[in-house]
Amino acid sequence: MAVGRVLVVVESVGGQALPASLELLTEARSIAGNVDAIAWGAGGAASLAGEVGGYGAARLFDVGDVGDSLPGPVVAGAISGIVASGDAPEVILIPTTYDCRDIAGRLSVKINRPVITNVIDLEAGDDGIRSVHSLFGGTQIATARFTGDKPWIFVVRAKSFAPLQSGGPAAEVIPVQPGDLDATGAATITSHHVESQTGPKLDEADVVVSGGRGLGTKEAYAMVEELAELLKGAAGASRAIVDAGWVPYARQVGQTGKTVKPTVYIACGISGATQHLVGMKGAKHIIAINKDQEAPIFSVADVGVVGDVHQVMPKLIEAIKALA
Amino acid sequence: MNIVVCVKQIPDPAAPPAIDEANGTLARSGKLVMDDSDSYGVEMALQLAEQAGGGEVTLVSMAPNGETSGLRTALAMGAAKAILVSDEALAGSDALATAKVLARAVGRVKPDLIVAATESTDGYTGTTPVQLAELLGFPSITFAKQISVSDGKLAVQRQTEVGYDEVECQLPAVVTVTAGVVEPRYPSFKGIMAAKSKPVDQLTLSDLGLDASEVGATGSGQEVLSVVDAPQRASGEIIVDDGEAHQRVVQFLQELKLV
Ligand SMILES: Cc1cc2nc3c(=O)[nH]c(=O)nc-3n(C[C@H](O)[C@H](O)[C@H](O)COP(=O)(O)OP(=O)(O)OC[C@H]3O[C@@H](n4cnc5c(N)ncnc54)[C@H](O)[C@@H]3O)c2cc1C
Ligand SMILES: Cc1cc2nc3c(=O)[nH]c(=O)nc-3n(C[C@H](O)[C@H](O)[C@H](O)COP(=O)(O)OP(=O)(O)OC[C@H]3O[C@@H](n4cnc5c(N)ncnc54)[C@H](O)[C@@H]3O)c2cc1C
């Protein structure tokens, strides 16, 4: 094993660990002999002991219920307490989510260690761990490593590893405290707003149909939704049309949005900017419809249609309906 | 209300990116421009200062070779002044080292609010602003899609997986904004002329009381081992629509048993 002990940050929703955290628990098993998890949640995280144990965590550090606080400073405080206690992990794996990126930043300063982010793979070697990164829209691959003292903090993108259960027993639950946070812990959530979404989740769907600025109008996004529904898939978007307010942010695919790996990704009126490509290049198959033959999206497409979305999509929708 | 906006100056993203062969970092020797991602923060800060009925917007940037072109763009939008930290010893700084430098520079202004982008266009580590907040001992709210300030309190709509949360905290605080929060103004001709004479305070590491061993490539504790071309996806089939191209898509979906 490349390292002795890995700590995985486990974010959960409604008492269930996020897939991105389960992916990291799985990977942790192949780089370290001992795997621990740290989690928080309404009523405490002890209810996750079975799930994280089933993915290989021997111990679960329970930060407890963070209430209305943003988790970043609280969880980072708890991890730095573990590090200071002499029971320090050598590697800390953190998924790329809104809250977890905050944890990584806070923790980095608390324990005065750098972070390596946007990791898509980890390689265990004799001299420790190397991280793999996709650069410039996936045209180049960089390998990096830490040169300083442990613990090493890696922030890993979702879907970098396939989650696999270990069949291990429930993890031993160990309560931990965040310590004194002073003003850094002052941000509180006063309300939650859920923008409705139907059909399969974007990052779990087998088919993703995404629209971009080439649709021309917000109304034309209805074609994307209809095609997605016909294919029992989810509708996604480029950032250009999220910024324009045509669709909610939850639909965004790419560097700052979701990473998707469906069987088929259909890009409609999307140019294929590097920041979009990093979120969908992992699709098994890619279909692109774009009127500009030079659009970069064609460089990753299995089937590329040079044409107007307003011509091609209605016909495509009708043809699929006719088959049903 | 005094606001600091972190403005990163980066190689023109429209030009093909170049990697410095020696250390695997991004080549930053040419002319730099303001990162587009920071134009939203500048605009937001200008609007918040206006709404507060006064106060100054100060830009803070760390960049090589005394570069100010990007700062001039933000000054032309309306910021009052800028602090630029430039020092050869800073080359190769990672996000933590950068945050240490920015924290010292920000400390000179004593702002009520610090605005940054959620992530930069070139490095997109996405942790620098939170590292900065922790160094300063301030609360932070990241991924803001709407911001307001009243009675010394910052209120933010923060993006979440499913929508957004309303989050608030007292000032001073750090907030990071996403693209699209506001429509950045174009600098007017008057603004561009005025920007030429606005003060840019140029500082070095010793001005900030930082030791070279804490920053730059030596202080960064990480290194790039290699940068290689990624395996190419096998090139696909391109068809120019003659009115029937959708048939090929249907056939492809049928081969995959999706229809
Ligand atoms: C820090 C940072 C992070 C970012 N993160 C993301 C991200 O997460 N996701 C993301 O998507 N982007 C992201 N971006 C933005 C990205 O750089 C692009 O600006 C964006 O992806 C472009 O969206 P688009 O393809 O819809 O628009 P455009 O680039 O404007 O492309 C529109 C395309 O539509 C085609 N078109 C026009 N009319 C038609 C028609 N009638 N029929 C067919 N085709 C037509 C055009 O030929 C063109 O190729 C990020 C940028 C930065 C700086
Ligand atoms: C491809 C690539 C990958 C990298 N990966 C890592 C990594 O994994 N870990 C790491 O520590 N470093 C990494 N770096 C180095 C890092 O990008 C730079 O060190 C940079 O100084 C700070 O990080 P950022 O731009 O990624 O910041 P981010 O955290 O993405 O920046 C967020 C915001 O902070 C503000 N900000 C950031 N830098 C400055 C500045 N110099 N002046 C003013 N405001 C600023 C801006 O508002 C910016 O939008 C990487 C660089 C490259 C090119």
Side-chain angles (χ1 to χ4, degrees):
Chain A
M1 288 291 165
V3 293
R5 185 176 293 285
V6 172
L7 177 65
V8 177
V9 175
V10 174
E11 183 173 335
S12 62
V13 174
Q16 276 209 304
L18 290 188
S21 287
L22 300 178
E23 290 157 26
L24 294 185
L25 284 169
T26 306
E27 175 63 9
R29 296 190 326 249
S30 64
I31 58 174
N34 297 290
V35 178
D36 293 329
I38 185 163
W40 62 100
S47 61
L48 293 167
E51 192 177 15
V52 300
Y55 280 85
R59 301 185 296 176
L60 170 63
F61 293 105
D62 180 6
V63 186
D65 191 336
V66 303
D68 296 330
S69 298
L70 283 184
V74 188
V75 179
I79 299 175
S80 77
I82 296 168
V83 171
S85 74
D87 195 12
E90 287 164 69
V91 169
I92 301 170
L93 297 181
I94 303 181
T96 306
T97 68
Y98 300 111
D99 288 338
C100 287
R101 213 167 69 172
D102 285 358
I103 295 172
R106 293 273 171 193
L107 177 64
S108 159
V109 172
K110 282 180 191 292
I111 64 174
N112 195 26
R113 292 290 181 277
V115 292
I116 289 187
T117 68
N118 290 304
V119 174
I120 59 161
D121 199 3
L122 292 166
E123 291 169 355
D126 305 338
D127 55 349
I129 308 273
R130 294 167 179 212
S131 58
V132 179
H133 307 258
S134 173
L135 302 187
F136 311 132
T139 53
Q140 304 215 278
I141 302 281
T143 308
R145 70 165 172 206
F146 284 109
T147 54
D149 294 339
K150 291 167 178 157
W152 293 333
I153 308 169
F154 293 101
V155 185
V156 185
R157 295 191 64 92
K159 295 212 160 60
S160 295
F161 308 102
L164 263 181
Q165 280 176 323
S166 67
E172 176 198 353
V173 178
I174 302 173
V176 281
Q177 302 299 324
D180 205 351
L181 300 173
D182 298 321
T184 63
T188 52
I189 302 168
T190 54
S191 64
H192 299 283
H193 297 261
V194 177
E195 288 161 349
S196 70
Q197 202 171 358
T198 53
K201 282 172 74 181
L202 189 51
D203 45 3
E204 290 168 11
D206 204 30
V207 176
V208 173
V209 185
S210 284
R213 188 143 48 194
L215 291 170
T217 61
K218 178 177 179 171
E219 288 64 40
Y221 189 78
M223 293 192 295
V224 172
E225 286 174 316
E226 187 174 8
L227 184 56
E229 200 184 321
L230 280 171
L231 298 171
K232 300 186 187 58
S238 72
R239 191 172 93 177
I241 73 167
V242 172
D243 287 354
W246 295 2
V247 296
Y249 176 79
R251 301 262 171 122
Q252 183 174 318
V253 172
Q255 183 180 301
T256 31
K258 300 249 163 41
T259 302
V260 300
K261 286 195 175 174
T263 305
V264 176
Y265 187 86
I266 308 181
C268 310
I270 291 178
S271 60
T274 57
Q275 296 92 351
H276 188 79
L277 295 182
V278 296
M280 44 66 76
K281 258 195 63 170
K284 265 208 201 81
H285 302 282
I286 295 169
I287 299 173
I289 306 169
N290 194 303
K291 69 173 186 191
D292 174 11
Q293 182 142 18
E294 303 298 316
I297 192 77
F298 287 130
S299 68
V300 298
D302 300 296
V303 174
V305 176
V306 182
D308 185 338
V309 286
H310 299 284
Q311 301 293 326
V312 182
M313 291 186 74
K315 287 188 196 161
L316 180 59
I317 288 168
E318 285 318 310
I320 293 171
K321 274 188 188 161
L323 287 173
Chain B
M1 184 168 59
N2 290 320
I3 306 176
V4 159
V5 186
C6 299
V7 171
K8 191 171 184 189
Q9 303 179 89
I10 63 170
D12 187 349
I19 293 283
D20 185 333
E21 294 292 339
N23 49 15
T25 59
L26 201 63
R28 298 181 187 278
S29 46
K31 182 178 171 321
L32 304 177
V33 299
M34 168 165 77
D35 186 346
D36 218 29
S37 305
D38 284 323
S39 62
Y40 301 95
V42 173
E43 178 64 38
M44 194 75 230
L46 291 171
Q47 289 187 14
L48 289 172
E50 276 157 31
Q51 283 157 18
E56 264 184 347
V57 174
T58 306
L59 311 169
V60 169
S61 188
M62 173 183 115
N65 311 322
E67 180 67 72
T68 58
S69 328
L71 287 174
R72 295 286 171 206
T73 306
L75 290 169
M77 287 173 73
K81 56 188 176 30
I83 297 177
L84 172 70
V85 188
S86 201
D87 196 309
E88 270 171 32
L90 290 168
S93 291
D94 65 6
L96 178 58
T98 303
K100 287 177 180 172
V101 171
L102 296 179
R104 291 290 173 100
V106 169
R108 299 192 149 213
V109 185
K110 303 213 177 354
D112 303 296
L113 182 65
I114 300 162
V115 184
T118 49
E119 57 188 20
S120 69
T121 302
D122 61 344
Y124 56 96
T125 309
T127 55
T128 310
V130 178
Q131 288 164 318
L132 172 64
E134 182 70 22
L135 286 162
L136 294 168
F138 293 172
S140 57
I141 305 178
T142 50
F143 286 94
K145 46 183 249 166
Q146 194 174 303
I147 302 176
S148 62
V149 174
S150 62
D151 305 328
K153 216 181 214 173
L154 168 70
V156 166
Q157 286 185 2
R158 179 179 191 249
Q159 263 165 19
T160 62
E161 282 291 327
V162 294
Y164 65 92
D165 287 348
E166 308 261 6
V167 185
E168 45 177 60
C169 69
Q170 86 238 10
L171 297 177
V174 173
V175 65
T176 74
V177 299
T178 58
V181 271
V182 279
E183 190 58 49
R185 68 193 69 181
Y186 282 105
S188 63
F189 179 70
K190 221 176 105 201
I192 295 169
M193 295 314 287
K196 294 190 170 152
S197 56
K198 285 181 177 172
V200 177
D201 198 3
Q202 299 229 17
L203 304 175
T204 60
L205 268 189
S206 58
D207 294 326
L208 295 178
L210 274 170
D211 194 83
S213 66
E214 294 175 68
V215 295
T218 36
S220 286
Q222 54 183 286
E223 65 178 4
V224 178
L225 294 165
S226 67
V227 180
V228 296
D229 286 342
Q232 289 283 322
R233 253 186 115 96
S235 66
E237 168 191 346
I238 302 287
I239 21 176
V240 178
D241 184 33
D242 56 355
E244 295 303 320
H246 63 282
Q247 299 287 13
R248 175 65 190 109
V249 177
V250 172
Q251 190 197 352
F252 189 71
L253 292 170
Q254 278 175 321
E255 285 162 20
L256 297 171
K257 305 207 181 335
L258 288 166
V259 289

